[in-house]
Amino acid sequence: MPTNITLVQGDITEQDVDAVVNAANSSLLGGGGVDGAIHRKGGPDILAECRELRATQYGRGLPTGQAVATTAGRLPARWVIHTVGPVHQGAGSDPAPLASCYRESLRVADRLGARTVAFPAISTGAYRWPLEEAARVAVETVRAADTEVEEARFVLFDQRAYTAFAAQIG
């Protein structure tokens, strides 16, 4: 069954979905942007599980393009799927690691049994990925994914991001 792709402009920490995707940094210990918002609103349980992951599986941090799940703490979601997007290096940057973030997040969602997943615009903030290209990669990857996820909801922080993603949905 094809995944239904929806768009909403708003706050990803307020989404009532099975899983929220966190645009994390490799440390998994919180940061700015989406990552900081999820850790602040979700509370200490998320950080505690992230510390455990660092101590047991990801001593050197979560690699770019990979994904791992934790509790969602006080968020309305059941789980947080943490993924590390690539930093844009300028013209000619390889979009494959960015696509991997979406694909791997859906793989983790399938393993959890999540049917609704909220995604941010991964790598478009501090990691400087051009919004239009990031939207294209995100939508194409989710559309092509072999997944049991029924709804992939892109939660866009502002009108500019919403417009870029809406142009890809067509």
Side-chain angles (χ1 to χ4, degrees):
M1 176 167 102
T3 301
N4 183 31
I5 296 175
T6 59
L7 303 179
V8 64
Q9 185 178 334
D11 182 345
I12 198 162
T13 67
E14 296 175 358
Q15 301 303 304
D16 188 6
V17 292
D18 294 331
V20 168
V21 174
N22 180 19
N25 63 53
S26 64
S27 79
L28 295 176
L29 303 179
V34 169
D35 193 19
I38 285 173
H39 276 272
R40 277 190 305 277
K41 192 153 184 185
D45 292 348
I46 297 172
L47 183 58
E49 283 193 35
C50 285
R51 284 189 171 133
E52 179 66 20
L53 285 167
R54 284 297 305 271
T56 58
Q57 293 177 262
Y58 298 103
R60 294 176 186 245
L62 184 65
T64 298
Q66 296 301 303
V68 66
T70 65
T71 181
R74 296 188 303 248
L75 297 175
R78 203 163 155 198
W79 300 287
V80 173
I81 299 172
H82 306 267
T83 190
V84 180
V87 175
H88 191 262
Q89 301 295 328
S93 288
D94 182 7
L98 182 58
S100 180
C101 290
Y102 292 97
R103 208 172 19 260
E104 290 299 308
S105 293
L106 289 169
R107 184 188 59 74
V108 170
D110 284 341
R111 195 178 75 241
L112 295 168
R115 294 296 172 256
T116 54
V117 177
F119 286 97
I122 298 168
S123 285
T124 62
Y127 288 6
R128 303 180 310 277
W129 209 275
L131 191 51
E132 291 72 20
E133 183 181 357
R136 179 188 56 75
V137 170
V139 171
E140 285 178 1
T141 303
V142 170
R143 275 191 177 141
D146 180 17
T147 181
E148 296 297 314
V149 169
E150 295 166 5
E151 179 192 2
R153 181 183 307 166
F154 289 104
V155 182
L156 295 318
F157 184 71
D158 60 20
Q159 185 61 47
R160 183 171 164 260
Y162 185 93
T163 300
F165 275 74
Q168 295 302 314
I169 300 296

